[in-house]
């Protein structure tokens, strides 16, 4: 029985061995830290999102979805729940083209059998927050242009979902995942496709938060934008923070080196 349970743990069917702790009883080792191999660089992200944009069917709508994740770090279930009225964009002729997204609702997929409406998605509050809590995410100028064009092209107005399916309503998770898988297969090399590089849609969020941290944005600010606590943020992304490495090396060198024994002997 113990061998069977250990095999189930190896295959990730179980998280730990239910047998009393003893010889051979082990628990699966898990880590909440992000795998650096899953993060996209700027060129890879541009190629993937560009391929999605060029899709003849729904490409631009999906491009707006994925780009919003990449630039704001919002979770997929948060992006699909954004109301057009909560997209705060500046006027097109304003000098400052930074906007913000007000996040207060999530539409996670839970399955038709678990909702009262028979829909796949369920409306909930933000993860880890009070029921009526909100948070904002910055909308950089590049995303401002994309969302402004998306809203105008789709004829959306306050009260409408920003990201809609082909026939209206929530954008289906299956459509999102299928488009992302196809983009990876078409854009990445065969070697890259077999690695964790951008394997999950959620890796767009991981890439965004890592970019913010590496750009020097304070961890407390990133945590607020991302909807995490600072301890969870740092535990999750500690292995990915390397944007200030050159500066840190320089500071370490400034402390001086030990005398060279060979030079001293001469």
């Amino acid at each position: 029985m113990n061998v069977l349970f250990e095999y189930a743990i190896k295959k990730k069917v179980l998280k730990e061995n239910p047998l009393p702790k003893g010889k051979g009883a082990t628990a699966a080792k898990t880590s909440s830290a992000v795998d650096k191999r899953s993060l996209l660089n700027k060129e890879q992200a541009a190629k993937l999102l560009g391929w999605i944009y060029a899709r003849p069917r729904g490409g631009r709508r999906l491009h707006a979805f994925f780009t919003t994740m990449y630039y704001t770090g919002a979770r997929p279930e948060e992006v699909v729940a954004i109301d057009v009225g909560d997209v705060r964009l500046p006027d097109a002729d304003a000098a400052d083209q930074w906007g913000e997204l007000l996040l207060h609702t999530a539409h996670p997929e839970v399955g038709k059998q678990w909702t009262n409406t028979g829909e796949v998605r369920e409306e909930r509050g933000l993860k880890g927050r009070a029921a009526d809590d909100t948070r904002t995410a910055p909308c950089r100028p590049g995303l401002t242009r994309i969302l402004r064009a998306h809203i105008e092209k789709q004829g959306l107005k306050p009260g409408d979902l920003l990201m809609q399916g082909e026939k209206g309503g929530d954008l289906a998770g299956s459509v999102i995942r299928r488009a992302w898988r196809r983009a990876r297969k078409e854009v990445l090399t065969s070697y890259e496709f077999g690695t964790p590089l951008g394997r999950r849609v959620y890796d767009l969020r991981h890439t965004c938060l890592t970019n913010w941290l590496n750009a020097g944005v304070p961890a407390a600010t990133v945590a607020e934008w991302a909807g995490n606590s600072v301890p969870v943020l740092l535990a999750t992304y500690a292995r990915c923070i390397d944007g200030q490495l050159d500066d840190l090396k320089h500071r370490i060198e400034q402390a001086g080196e030990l005398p060279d024994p060979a030079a001293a002997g001469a």
Side-chain angles (χ1 to χ4, degrees):
M1 184 63 73
N2 185 66
V3 172
L4 177 62
F5 284 145
E6 286 188 341
Y7 182 75
I9 291 170
K10 183 179 179 180
K11 292 298 183 179
K12 298 183 179 180
V13 176
L14 296 176
K15 290 185 177 181
E16 61 181 17
N17 194 323
L19 291 177
K21 298 298 181 182
K23 184 178 179 180
T26 59
K29 295 182 179 179
T30 60
S31 173
S32 61
V34 169
D35 187 342
K36 287 187 70 171
R37 298 176 300 167
S38 69
L39 302 178
L40 299 161
N41 63 36
K42 184 178 179 180
E43 291 72 24
Q44 292 163 340
K47 289 179 181 179
L48 287 165
L49 295 176
W51 186 90
I52 289 170
Y53 182 86
R55 279 170 52 112
R57 182 174 177 179
R60 295 194 179 187
R61 288 185 296 107
L62 287 167
H63 176 265
F65 171 84
F66 290 122
T67 306
T68 299
M69 281 194 65
Y70 177 77
Y71 277 144
T72 69
R75 300 177 177 91
E77 63 268 25
E78 295 170 344
V79 177
V80 298
I82 296 174
D83 187 291
V84 174
D86 294 323
V87 180
R88 313 294 172 82
L89 302 180
D91 294 333
D93 57 355
D96 183 358
Q97 285 297 301
W98 279 85
E100 68 176 14
L101 304 182
L102 181 62
L103 305 174
H104 53 80
T105 308
H107 290 174
E109 290 183 304
V110 296
K112 294 181 179 180
Q113 68 273 30
W114 302 111
T115 62
N116 294 327
T117 61
E119 299 293 333
V120 175
R121 294 188 182 273
E122 180 180 62
E123 183 172 324
R124 295 181 183 175
L126 299 178
K127 183 178 179 179
R129 301 218 172 190
D132 298 325
D133 204 358
T134 64
R135 78 172 196 272
T136 58
C139 182
R140 60 189 297 157
L143 181 59
T144 292
R145 292 190 293 271
I146 290 170
L147 294 185
R148 182 183 291 121
H150 171 73
I151 291 171
E152 292 176 355
K153 181 175 178 59
Q154 299 296 322
L156 303 176
K157 59 185 183 300
D160 293 337
L161 288 175
L162 177 66
M163 307 295 173
Q164 299 184 6
E166 199 170 52
K167 298 180 180 180
D170 283 334
L171 183 59
S174 58
V175 172
I176 295 168
R177 292 186 292 272
R178 186 165 56 247
W180 188 249
R181 284 196 299 268
R182 182 67 185 277
R184 288 186 75 250
K185 186 174 182 179
E186 294 294 331
V187 171
L188 301 181
T189 66
S190 58
Y191 170 76
E192 290 172 333
F193 183 77
T195 70
L197 178 63
R199 183 174 291 168
R200 303 182 305 159
V201 174
Y202 209 89
D203 291 327
L204 288 168
R205 169 178 163 86
H206 289 326
T207 298
C208 175
L209 271 56
T210 300
N211 288 343
W212 283 344
L213 290 169
N214 287 339
V217 180
T221 301
V222 175
E224 173 61 27
W225 288 346
N228 280 341
S229 67
V230 174
V232 168
L233 179 82
L234 295 179
T236 304
Y237 298 97
R239 299 177 185 174
C240 306
I241 303 174
D242 56 14
Q244 295 86 38
L245 186 57
D246 289 341
D247 179 57
L248 295 175
K249 288 179 180 178
H250 179 66
R251 293 186 185 186
I252 293 172
E253 287 179 348
Q254 284 182 322
E257 305 283 352
L258 290 173
D260 186 347

